[in-house]
Amino acid sequence: MVHGTLEVLLIGAKGLENTDYLCNMDPYAILKCRSQEQRSSIASGKGSNPEWNESFVFTVLDRATDLVIKLMDSDSGTADDFVGEATIPLEALYTEGSIPPTAYNVVKDEHYCGAIKVGLSFTPEDVLGRGLPEDVGGWKQSH
């Protein structure tokens, strides 16, 4: 089992399909790792090439297989538009410890619709050295 901290550096995106026809879209990202979900700020008016340069930290308690980044367009007055999503496999990260900023395909309805640039790092937690007191489980009392 893998336990530790996953740090995600959300840098930006390029070539996104503009969902606003009259003006530039206002994209933001929803990052999801298993049941944990975090949201970036809104890149107001940045259109198809937003930049965030924001870091997010997730606690990995079991071997999460991937990170999903869903890109949305913030619309006031109506529901936000789905722009596309990227699924980033995490297996190599557990072995390497970090992956430098890399572009990942953004897909909507199985069609390519841009790229998102993300850097990843994973810090394993020492499961054995969790700091449990020695008297847990009756160890000291059994003398």
Side-chain angles (χ1 to χ4, degrees), residues 1-21:
M1 285 230 268
V2 174
H3 296 280
T5 304
L6 167 64
E7 187 172 347
V8 181
L9 174 60
L10 177 66
I11 297 171
K14 293 242 184 282
L16 299 178
E17 199 172 283
N18 197 346
T19 58
D20 284 345
Y21 301 105

Side-chain angles (χ1 to χ4, degrees), residues 12-16 48-51 106 112-117:
K14 293 242 184 282
L16 299 178
S48 298
N49 301 307
E51 286 188 15
V106 175
Y112 173 85
C113 59
I116 189 163
K117 195 170 193 180

Side-chain angles (χ1 to χ4, degrees), residues 39-59:
R39 184 178 155 161
S40 75
S41 62
I42 296 170
S44 295
K46 296 296 182 186
S48 298
N49 301 307
E51 286 188 15
W52 291 282
N53 292 312
E54 295 178 28
S55 289
F56 302 89
V57 176
F58 294 91
T59 301

Side-chain angles (χ1 to χ4, degrees), residues 12-95:
K14 293 242 184 282
L16 299 178
E17 199 172 283
N18 197 346
T19 58
D20 284 345
Y21 301 105
L22 300 175
C23 58
N24 276 339
M25 63 180 176
D26 306 310
Y28 65 92
I30 298 171
L31 296 86
K32 190 168 184 176
C33 183
R34 293 260 178 172
S35 62
Q36 300 170 71
E37 194 172 278
Q38 297 188 47
R39 184 178 155 161
S40 75
S41 62
I42 296 170
S44 295
K46 296 296 182 186
S48 298
N49 301 307
E51 286 188 15
W52 291 282
N53 292 312
E54 295 178 28
S55 289
F56 302 89
V57 176
F58 294 91
T59 301
V60 177
L61 296 175
D62 48 12
R63 195 174 201 110
T65 55
D66 48 36
L67 171 73
V68 176
I69 302 177
K70 186 184 290 189
L71 295 174
M72 303 293 289
D73 172 25
S74 178
D75 290 328
S76 56
T78 60
D80 291 354
D81 297 317
F82 174 67
V83 177
E85 72 179 21
T87 301
I88 301 170
L90 298 176
E91 280 302 316
L93 178 63
Y94 297 136
T95 313

